[in-house]
Every structure is written in structure tokens, then in C-alpha cells.
Amino acid sequence: MIFEKYEPEFSPIDYFITRFFVGDDCLFEQETKVSLPTLITGDMIDIFDESYLIESREFGFNENAFITVYRIKKLTEIMVR
């Protein structure tokens, strides 16, 4: 059996960028060399001693980076309604 050398079509991912948005404002951004656990819609997360609800998530690529964008809402705003 002959194995040919595999040549990837795309360059490897070097960075994982995670961004959390409240409306149009980026509340927090983190860049890592390893992927972080994925959050899903309905999950709660604490950032800077405030609780937020994940409303949606989006994914994208940019050359050598994988980007995850979370749209979040402050939990106290949801509880007041």
C-alpha cells in the first residue's frame, strides 16, 4: 500500500478568538492557542462579577484564526421584565 503525502488545502488554525457582545459593544475578548469550551444558547456566564445569558453564537474564520462570537444579555435585565 502506498501512502501519499497529505497536503492540507488550508493553513492550520493558530488562534481561537472568543468575543462577547452586549448589543453592539464588545464586553470581553480573549485570544488563546487552544479552543475554549463552547457555550450554547441559554447558558449563563459570569463576566466581571455580572451574570449574562447567552442569546446566540456565531462562528467565523479569518486566515489563521477561528472566531466565536456570543451575543449576551445581562441577566438582571432579563429578570426585571
Side-chain angles (χ1 to χ4, degrees):
M1 183 183 288
I2 299 172
F3 291 99
E4 294 182 29
K5 183 178 178 189
Y6 174 73
E7 294 290 332
E9 189 174 342
F10 303 101
S11 61
I13 294 172
D14 294 325
Y15 300 100
F16 295 87
I17 301 170
T18 305
R19 295 179 178 153
F20 293 91
F21 280 87
V22 176
D24 291 333
D25 297 325
C26 185
L27 178 67
F28 181 74
E29 177 177 297
Q30 182 170 6
E31 181 180 301
T32 60
K33 289 285 212 171
V34 296
S35 65
L36 299 174
T38 303
L39 301 168
I40 61 171
T41 302
D43 280 351
M44 290 184 287
I45 186 170
D46 288 342
I47 302 175
F48 306 124
D49 295 325
E50 296 284 343
S51 295
Y52 295 88
L53 180 70
I54 304 293
E55 291 190 310
S56 67
R57 65 181 177 176
E58 303 161 11
F59 302 102
F61 293 93
N62 182 3
E63 294 180 19
N64 62 346
F66 181 80
I67 302 166
T68 306
V69 174
Y70 292 100
R71 303 286 176 180
I72 60 176
K73 188 165 216 155
K74 193 181 272 190
L75 204 54
T76 54
E77 292 176 12
I78 296 167
M79 297 175 104
V80 170
R81 290 183 189 176

